[in-house]
Amino acid sequence: MPIYKAPVQDTLFVLQDVLRTQDYGNLPGFGEATPDLIKAILTEGAKFAEEVLQPLNLSGDNRGCKRDPNGRVTTPEGFQQAYEQFVAAGWGSLSVEQVFGGQGLPHFLSNALQEYLISANMAFMMYPGLTLGAIAAICAVGAEEQKARYVPKMAAGVWTGTMNLTEPHCGTDLGLIKTRAAVQADGTYRLTGTKIFISAGEHDLSKNIIHLVLAKMTDSPDNIKGISLFIVPKFLVTPDGALGERNLVSCGSIEEKMGIHGNATCVMNYDGATGYLLGEKDKGLRAMFVMMNAARLGVALQGLSQSEVAYQNAATYARERRQGRALRGPQCPQDSADPILVHPDVRRMLMTARAFNEGARGLALWGALQVDLANVASTPAARQDAEDLIGLLTPVFKAYFTDQGFANAVNAQQCLGGHGYIREWGMEQFVRDARIAMIYEGTNGIQALDLVGRKLAANGGRALRLFTGQVSTLVQHTLTEPSVAEFAAAVEHGLGDLQAATQWLIRNALMKPENAGAASTPYLYLLALVSMGYMWLQMARAAAVGLTEHPDEHAFYAAKLDTARYFFCHLMPETSLHKIRVEVGAEPLMALPAEAF
Amino acid sequence: MPIYKAPVQDTLFVLQDVLRTQDYGNLPGFGEATPDLIKAILTEGAKFAEEVLQPLNLSGDNRGCKRDPNGRVTTPEGFQQAYEQFVAAGWGSLSVEQVFGGQGLPHFLSNALQEYLISANMAFMMYPGLTLGAIAAICAVGAEEQKARYVPKMAAGVWTGTMNLTEPHCGTDLGLIKTRAAVQADGTYRLTGTKIFISAGEHDLSKNIIHLVLAKMTDSPDNIKGISLFIVPKFLVTPDGALGERNLVSCGSIEEKMGIHGNATCVMNYDGATGYLLGEKDKGLRAMFVMMNAARLGVALQGLSQSEVAYQNAATYARERRQGRALRGPQCPQDSADPILVHPDVRRMLMTARAFNEGARGLALWGALQVDLANVASTPAARQDAEDLIGLLTPVFKAYFTDQGFANAVNAQQCLGGHGYIREWGMEQFVRDARIAMIYEGTNGIQALDLVGRKLAANGGRALRLFTGQVSTLVQHTLTEPSVAEFAAAVEHGLGDLQAATQWLIRNALMKPENAGAASTPYLYLLALVSMGYMWLQMARAAAVGLTEHPDEHAFYAAKLDTARYFFCHLMPETSLHKIRVEVGAEPLMALPAEAF
């Protein structure tokens, strides 16, 4: 049976030693998040993840969700009870505003906790995860009456939410959707159409499901400019907030898929279902993007979380499994063989995962802090900076974390040899579950296009300048600090590659956008690695301080520096390769005629 | 439903334009393989792959193999009839010696055909594939009586074969095996023990199953030096070759695994089963390695074949699926959207797979030609050269082809977006099936150790010198040929990285073997890329000739040059990164204390 132990000490190191969130105590919501409260919540949440959710992960995968002929969907055994506990503990509403019944705590704290919960059971956490996205969209563009009607129940977890975008013939290109909304005399709409790949579309965990659905009004243009967003509750809600009649929306089938079997991925049929316009007519995509951006950061966490749990299981196996002898001579001569952790190539796989996990955790928490600062920082300029930074890096985190999370899950599986391929060990589930995160909420290729096509160019490149300026400042400060100078030099080199690639894009992609398209994925990787280097440099610096100030935690801080070193020796040098690929341009990609494929 | 079309023209291009196998007509076995015969066999084999095996791939995955309470195993519906056709057509015995009832044709031809058959149905082809490995071991070390008794029936496919190495507590480290063989008065042995992960261990396709089993004789040392190899038939064979009594070997269970569900992966129980010593006492590993080397080349083909079929399906989808518009402006303005093949990032994924597939096919056929030349070349020196080359590159092909094959299957799945994650499209099966090839027949980490620990150093580095000498000679010849000079320069650069990394190993790994272990995987990748560059340079040169000499095939040869260009721009530059990783040394990998993992 797979194991999981939430990395609470690592989280606290990032929050307190690196990001120093305690220094923001004067900001709204931050004051409540005292170091003691943070530690208490993380410790309690870790326990829930380890003891309640993790034991349901493998069994949830084996059982999957079942749909009966009437369209009712049953989640795997144990999910209902776990969801009740989840709701009772308030895990889903940590960062929801207090006015809606949430706890109003900072995002960095809920983000820290989410990582644990998703490591323990990714499929389960999609139910409340999508609810958070739906809450964000309703809060962003909904009328006060809509917020009051839906958000408190969703924040409490009594109701859950979904996103309904994809249709059989369109995923990325939402201009092609066919679902129609016809206005009724009472101002409501009748929605008709079919949506596919709807995660948590139908299930038995909550009393109601609030579907947010993209559709075209009958008098709107039949293209990307005619899309509106609607609230379509499974059960209509009466004016007093009680559940009314069953709406004409139903689950037509559950998709048979590669993984996340514990989550019901549904075909949803809208057969004249009653819907309520959310936000403005024909501006549905804008509202959907609010939800999508929150969701993309959540998906980035899925990449990290699956990498972490897979790493933990592989490391445990490598410490225990005895096979062969160390190249430097037997390490356990009294036993028949040494643990496979003595083999450098096994360590290569584990260290790659570890260096990613710790760097990505740092970035995820840094990103969540930016989300908080974008909301509550004390000056408009500080709020704008935070919004610029998280806007720029959202597609980077989504694509890089999920690509690498999957790759690390595959490497972790590899550490177990044949046992990694057998279901009972649970490693192959991590691989299958992690795989979806590279696809949904916009494929990773779409993230790369969002980065080079929108985020880089927005406001004259302001966000990238801000980010590279911060990296550069840190590099200048640390190049002369003996404990981290070698790392600073590595970041400087990576930053140079990034700046050269950016200049190349400016010179070559404005007139020929295919050069931007061809460069998009390698450019995203370049920026990701510079971000990781930026975070690792901060973490190494904090660890060097910790080594001096906390001799009792020597092993912890020394391990951070060892892992930093691995990151800078093995992973950071990839930037040069990505720079070369950016500068190749589109021609070698586009030369082959379509019919030759 | 997934599709598959065997790439016959590509195979013929490699065999005839690049390797010029027709020039070897004076060698035994090669004379029969006239261009006409080659084309006829490939065309007929392609048809069998496309029409018989491929339609059973997805259904075989869905149904899997079933074991009844008596230990009888049933293969998926349709496998029996397909196997009968396979045997009747003689597809399993193309390169088996005529004296054993095979067709005595060169390995390059059977290898070409194997690729098609494995693309069509990897799980199915493991049954006859393992039989070929068992035949190779019996032919290599068996007594004449054993060859006569077992090989003809196995070559005919009436009986199949297996390899029994792994036990619950040992895979890589075979010195730990516990299965025991006790000699009997009649000179036979009684085998007792449990073997796991036995592919094709029990099934309903053949009348008998010839297990080759590693075990320790009761009077042998209990370590790697005390292992012998035994023939343990499912049904004992009477002196006249008929099937006698059922032996005491049985399938205890079928493993639940990530993929290759159409192949029965069995726990095999030996309960005093009768076995016959194959080869010398205590020299079982040597004989097993004969089988293993053949098997490793077969597994390398699995990587290529899954990449090819996944590519074909992704390319077909990308040509047909309409979503969004080309960055250069609408290409199909009359339609609601352009095919996604217009997007550079989709092409990046497809071109990466294509450049790999064609290069790896070239190398696989070149490797099979070396196997032939090692057997039948006209001088001892030529035979030795061929054996050195294929010995050096077997671990490289096994690890690189399977790593990249898997990565390409993942990319191909990505091209389909959410549809790639759904079972009915078949893409996720390619990913799950391809995954095992990185693990079995020695994990890819073991391949890398075999390369740097054994193959590089053997005979004072003779094999690598021979190979790099051949590459260098080609580079020198082609640097001045305008049509391929840019490619030659890229190979020269990669070769420089390889030579620098080799020198680093010579200087740093002899005294400190952990440096070799730490360098093993990046070094393997370096050598793999130089091999791919070597092959692509030859293919580009042949394509440039073809463009001039066969104007009617302009599109085919032009596509080869376009793909060569992509390979050299995007994939070949990775050598520098691998060189950096080799030269980092073991320290950053080994620094972290075991208890910190």
Side-chain angles (χ1 to χ4, degrees):
Chain A
M1 279 287 293
I3 54 105
Y4 175 65
K5 185 94 186 63
V8 176
Q9 191 176 8
D10 285 273
T11 305
L12 293 174
F13 166 73
V14 173
L15 292 179
Q16 289 160 8
D17 295 20
V18 182
L19 302 178
R20 303 195 60 78
T21 54
Q22 63 273 27
D23 296 350
Y24 294 86
N26 57 333
L27 297 181
F30 282 56
E32 289 83 340
T34 60
D36 283 351
L37 182 78
I38 289 176
K39 192 167 182 179
I41 287 182
L42 291 182
T43 307
E44 214 36 53
K47 211 173 136 192
F48 182 76
E50 295 161 5
E51 296 175 7
V52 179
L53 292 189
Q54 197 272 339
L56 296 173
N57 194 44
L58 186 61
S59 61
D61 181 64
N62 282 330
R63 289 164 186 268
C65 296
K66 309 278 179 231
R67 176 185 173 279
D68 76 12
N70 298 317
R72 275 190 296 260
V73 172
T74 314
T75 53
E77 196 178 332
F79 273 38
Q80 275 196 338
Q81 297 88 316
Y83 188 76
E84 282 166 22
Q85 290 181 256
F86 179 92
V87 164
W91 296 128
S93 59
L94 284 187
S95 58
V96 175
E97 290 178 57
Q98 285 171 331
V99 62
F100 297 125
Q103 295 158 66
L105 289 163
H107 279 87
F108 68 74
L109 182 53
S110 62
N111 181 294
L113 182 69
Q114 291 275 332
E115 185 210 315
Y116 305 166
L117 303 171
I118 304 171
S119 279
N121 198 322
M122 175 168 154
F124 177 92
M125 283 304 295
M126 290 173 67
Y127 297 99
L130 284 156
T131 305
L132 281 179
I135 290 174
I138 296 174
C139 287
V141 302
E144 291 308 317
E145 178 272 330
Q146 291 175 322
K147 294 184 201 174
R149 180 176 297 223
Y150 299 105
V151 175
K153 289 263 178 37
M154 293 168 76
V158 184
W159 300 349
T160 55
T162 72
M163 301 171 67
N164 285 237
L165 288 73
T166 305
E167 300 184 5
H169 57 289
C170 79
T172 299
D173 188 354
L174 292 167
L176 303 176
I177 65 170
K178 292 180 181 165
T179 299
R180 288 283 163 179
V183 70
Q184 303 301 300
D186 62 357
T188 67
Y189 294 80
R190 290 276 171 276
L191 274 77
T192 309
T194 300
K195 296 286 181 179
I196 62 169
F197 304 160
I198 307 309
S199 299
E202 177 59 33
H203 56 81
D204 56 1
L205 300 184
S206 63
K207 296 194 164 54
N208 202 1
I209 301 175
I210 310 305
H211 303 290
L212 300 197
V213 185
L214 288 185
K216 286 173 181 160
M217 288 195 198
T218 43
D219 65 344
S220 290
D222 188 13
N223 58 41
I224 198 82
K225 292 178 181 155
I227 300 175
S228 303
L229 183 60
F230 297 87
I231 296 176
V232 184
K234 174 178 170 183
F235 289 98
L236 297 178
V237 180
T238 64
D240 60 354
L243 295 188
E245 62 178 308
R246 184 71 167 80
N247 206 347
L248 296 171
V249 48
S250 61
C251 166
S253 63
I254 301 185
E255 303 283 6
E256 297 281 333
K257 56 197 193 295
M258 186 182 192
I260 48 165
H261 294 143
N263 199 277
T265 307
C266 301
V267 173
M268 297 301 295
N269 296 322
Y270 293 84
D271 301 311
T274 299
Y276 311 96
L277 181 63
L278 177 62
E280 290 179 63
K281 181 187 179 197
D282 296 343
K283 307 282 189 213
L285 283 186
R286 201 180 298 172
M288 197 47 117
F289 266 103
V290 171
M291 184 162 172
M292 188 81 98
N293 274 324
R296 285 176 177 178
L297 291 173
V299 174
L301 271 187
Q302 294 180 333
L304 164 58
S305 66
Q306 296 309 291
S307 179
E308 172 68 29
V309 67
Y311 162 82
Q312 289 189 15
N313 282 279
T316 303
Y317 185 85
R319 276 199 314 266
E320 293 169 1
R321 172 81 168 177
R322 286 165 189 277
Q323 206 78 175
R325 289 296 184 188
L327 292 165
R328 65 169 87 165
Q331 301 297 295
C332 304
Q334 73 287 6
D335 298 313
S336 57
D338 291 338
I340 63 172
L341 188 61
V342 301
H343 300 300
D345 198 66
V346 170
R347 281 182 170 247
R348 178 186 60 79
M349 297 187 277
L350 293 173
M351 289 301 294
T352 299
R354 186 182 173 100
F356 166 80
N357 295 344
E358 297 185 14
R361 178 174 302 114
L363 285 176
L365 294 170
W366 173 88
L369 177 61
Q370 304 312 311
V371 171
D372 287 320
L373 294 176
N375 289 328
V376 301
S378 46
T379 67
R383 293 196 290 276
Q384 183 66 63
D385 282 357
E387 194 167 320
D388 281 354
L389 289 173
I390 192 60
L392 176 72
L393 290 171
T394 292
V396 176
F397 293 173
K398 194 280 182 183
Y400 179 73
F401 287 13
T402 60
D403 275 358
Q404 294 307 301
F406 175 74
N408 290 330
V410 170
N411 266 342
Q413 180 187 27
Q414 189 75 11
C415 290
L416 276 78
H419 299 284
Y421 200 68
I422 303 298
R423 298 197 63 154
E424 66 182 282
W425 288 80
M427 302 302 289
E428 61 93 40
Q429 183 190 353
F430 301 138
V431 172
R432 287 185 290 102
D433 286 359
R435 183 66 186 88
I436 188 59
M438 299 153 73
I439 296 173
Y440 61 16
E441 304 302 344
T443 63
N444 286 357
I446 290 297
Q447 305 300 320
L449 266 188
D450 178 46
L451 173 66
V452 300
R454 287 196 205 106
K455 300 298 175 63
L456 277 192
N459 306 304
R462 189 175 70 198
L464 185 71
R465 271 199 311 281
L466 174 64
F467 179 70
T468 54
Q470 291 191 356
V471 177
S472 184
T473 301
L474 179 69
V475 166
Q476 296 313 317
H477 280 142
T478 45
L479 274 173
T480 52
E481 294 178 11
S483 59
V484 296
E486 60 170 321
F487 306 150
V491 177
E492 187 174 40
H493 185 273
L495 186 61
D497 286 336
L498 177 66
Q499 286 167 328
T502 308
Q503 289 304 315
W504 188 92
L505 276 180
I506 291 169
R507 283 197 305 275
N508 294 282
L510 294 177
M511 299 301 291
K512 195 181 167 193
E514 279 182 352
N515 277 333
S520 59
T521 292
Y523 188 88
L524 183 143
Y525 266 76
L526 234 177
L527 182 50
L529 284 163
V530 170
S531 309
M532 289 284 281
Y534 177 54
M535 179 46 62
W536 263 117
L537 181 52
Q538 295 174 71
M539 295 200 298
R541 203 185 193 195
V545 171
L547 266 186
T548 316
E549 294 185 356
H550 304 288
D552 51 319
E553 291 292 346
H554 182 274
F556 178 81
Y557 290 113
K560 282 274 172 285
L561 286 167
D562 286 337
T563 309
R565 190 119 156 281
Y566 180 83
F567 173 80
F568 285 110
C569 289
H570 272 259
L571 304 184
M572 193 77 196
E574 273 186 41
T575 56
S576 304
L577 177 62
H578 298 304
K579 171 178 164 281
I580 289 173
R581 285 179 175 160
V582 165
E583 295 179 352
V584 164
E587 209 279 329
L589 282 170
M590 307 309 287
L592 201 67
E595 62 274 16
F597 278 88
Chain B
M1 280 287 292
I3 53 105
Y4 175 65
K5 185 93 183 69
V8 176
Q9 192 178 6
D10 285 273
T11 304
L12 293 174
F13 167 72
V14 173
L15 292 180
Q16 288 159 9
D17 294 20
V18 182
L19 301 178
R20 304 196 59 80
T21 53
Q22 64 275 24
D23 297 350
Y24 294 86
N26 57 331
L27 296 181
F30 282 55
E32 289 83 341
T34 61
D36 283 352
L37 182 78
I38 290 175
K39 191 166 183 181
I41 287 180
L42 292 182
T43 307
E44 212 38 49
K47 211 172 137 193
F48 182 76
E50 295 161 4
E51 296 176 7
V52 178
L53 293 189
Q54 197 273 336
L56 297 174
N57 194 44
L58 186 60
S59 61
D61 181 63
N62 282 330
R63 289 165 187 265
C65 296
K66 309 280 180 231
R67 177 184 172 280
D68 74 14
N70 299 317
R72 274 189 296 260
V73 172
T74 315
T75 54
E77 196 178 330
F79 273 39
Q80 276 197 336
Q81 298 86 321
Y83 188 75
E84 283 166 22
Q85 289 181 258
F86 179 90
V87 164
W91 295 128
S93 59
L94 283 187
S95 58
V96 175
E97 289 178 58
Q98 285 172 330
V99 61
F100 298 124
Q103 293 157 65
L105 289 164
H107 280 86
F108 68 74
L109 182 54
S110 62
N111 181 294
L113 181 69
Q114 291 274 332
E115 183 209 316
Y116 305 166
L117 302 172
I118 302 171
S119 279
N121 199 321
M122 176 167 153
F124 177 92
M125 283 305 294
M126 290 172 67
Y127 297 100
L130 284 156
T131 305
L132 282 179
I135 291 175
I138 297 174
C139 288
V141 302
E144 290 309 315
E145 179 273 330
Q146 290 174 323
K147 295 184 199 174
R149 180 176 297 224
Y150 297 105
V151 176
K153 290 262 175 42
M154 294 168 78
V158 184
W159 299 350
T160 56
T162 72
M163 299 171 68
N164 285 238
L165 288 75
T166 305
E167 299 184 5
H169 58 286
C170 79
T172 298
D173 188 353
L174 292 168
L176 303 176
I177 65 171
K178 293 180 181 164
T179 298
R180 287 281 163 178
V183 70
Q184 303 301 299
D186 62 357
T188 67
Y189 294 80
R190 290 278 170 274
L191 273 79
T192 309
T194 300
K195 296 286 180 178
I196 63 170
F197 302 162
I198 307 308
S199 299
E202 177 59 34
H203 56 80
D204 56 2
L205 299 184
S206 62
K207 296 194 166 55
N208 201 1
I209 302 176
I210 309 305
H211 302 292
L212 299 198
V213 185
L214 288 184
K216 286 173 181 160
M217 289 194 198
T218 42
D219 63 346
S220 290
D222 189 14
N223 59 39
I224 198 84
K225 292 179 181 154
I227 299 175
S228 303
L229 184 59
F230 298 87
I231 296 176
V232 183
K234 175 179 171 184
F235 290 100
L236 297 178
V237 180
T238 63
D240 61 352
L243 295 188
E245 62 179 308
R246 184 71 167 77
N247 205 348
L248 295 171
V249 48
S250 61
C251 167
S253 63
I254 299 184
E255 305 282 6
E256 295 281 333
K257 56 195 193 293
M258 185 183 196
I260 49 167
H261 293 142
N263 198 278
T265 306
C266 301
V267 173
M268 298 301 296
N269 296 321
Y270 292 84
D271 302 310
T274 299
Y276 310 95
L277 180 64
L278 178 63
E280 289 178 63
K281 183 187 178 195
D282 295 344
K283 306 284 189 211
L285 283 185
R286 199 180 299 170
M288 198 47 118
F289 266 105
V290 170
M291 186 160 169
M292 188 83 99
N293 274 325
R296 285 176 176 178
L297 291 172
V299 173
L301 270 186
Q302 293 179 335
L304 163 59
S305 67
Q306 296 309 291
S307 179
E308 172 67 31
V309 66
Y311 162 82
Q312 289 189 16
N313 282 279
T316 302
Y317 185 85
R319 277 199 313 263
E320 291 168 2
R321 172 80 170 179
R322 284 163 190 279
Q323 206 79 174
R325 289 296 186 188
L327 293 164
R328 66 169 87 166
Q331 301 298 295
C332 305
Q334 73 288 3
D335 298 313
S336 57
D338 291 337
I340 62 172
L341 187 61
V342 301
H343 300 301
D345 198 66
V346 171
R347 280 182 172 247
R348 177 185 61 78
M349 296 188 277
L350 293 173
M351 289 301 294
T352 299
R354 186 184 174 97
F356 167 79
N357 295 343
E358 296 185 14
R361 178 174 303 115
L363 285 176
L365 294 170
W366 174 87
L369 177 60
Q370 303 312 312
V371 172
D372 287 320
L373 293 177
N375 289 328
V376 301
S378 45
T379 67
R383 291 197 291 275
Q384 183 67 61
D385 282 357
E387 195 167 319
D388 281 354
L389 289 172
I390 192 61
L392 176 73
L393 290 170
T394 292
V396 176
F397 293 174
K398 194 281 183 182
Y400 180 73
F401 287 12
T402 60
D403 276 359
Q404 294 305 301
F406 175 74
N408 289 329
V410 170
N411 266 340
Q413 179 187 27
Q414 190 74 8
C415 289
L416 275 76
H419 298 284
Y421 200 68
I422 303 299
R423 297 197 61 153
E424 66 182 282
W425 288 79
M427 302 302 289
E428 59 94 42
Q429 183 191 353
F430 300 138
V431 172
R432 289 185 289 102
D433 286 358
R435 183 66 186 88
I436 188 59
M438 297 153 73
I439 296 174
Y440 59 18
E441 307 299 344
T443 64
N444 287 356
I446 290 296
Q447 305 299 320
L449 268 188
D450 178 45
L451 174 65
V452 301
R454 286 198 204 107
K455 300 298 175 65
L456 276 192
N459 305 303
R462 188 176 70 198
L464 184 73
R465 270 200 311 282
L466 174 64
F467 179 69
T468 55
Q470 290 189 357
V471 177
S472 185
T473 302
L474 179 69
V475 166
Q476 297 313 318
H477 280 142
T478 46
L479 274 172
T480 52
E481 293 179 11
S483 58
V484 296
E486 59 170 322
F487 306 149
V491 177
E492 188 174 40
H493 185 273
L495 187 60
D497 286 337
L498 177 67
Q499 286 167 331
T502 307
Q503 288 303 316
W504 188 92
L505 277 180
I506 290 171
R507 283 196 306 275
N508 295 283
L510 292 178
M511 297 301 291
K512 195 181 167 195
E514 279 183 351
N515 277 332
S520 59
T521 291
Y523 187 88
L524 183 143
Y525 266 77
L526 234 177
L527 182 50
L529 283 162
V530 170
S531 308
M532 288 285 279
Y534 176 54
M535 179 46 62
W536 263 117
L537 182 52
Q538 295 174 71
M539 295 200 298
R541 201 185 196 195
V545 171
L547 267 186
T548 316
E549 293 185 357
H550 304 287
D552 52 319
E553 292 290 346
H554 182 274
F556 177 82
Y557 290 113
K560 282 275 170 287
L561 286 167
D562 286 337
T563 309
R565 190 118 155 280
Y566 179 83
F567 173 80
F568 285 109
C569 289
H570 273 259
L571 305 185
M572 193 75 197
E574 274 185 40
T575 55
S576 304
L577 178 63
H578 299 302
K579 170 178 164 283
I580 290 172
R581 287 178 175 161
V582 165
E583 295 178 352
V584 164
E587 208 280 329
L589 283 170
M590 306 310 289
L592 201 66
E595 60 275 16
F597 279 87

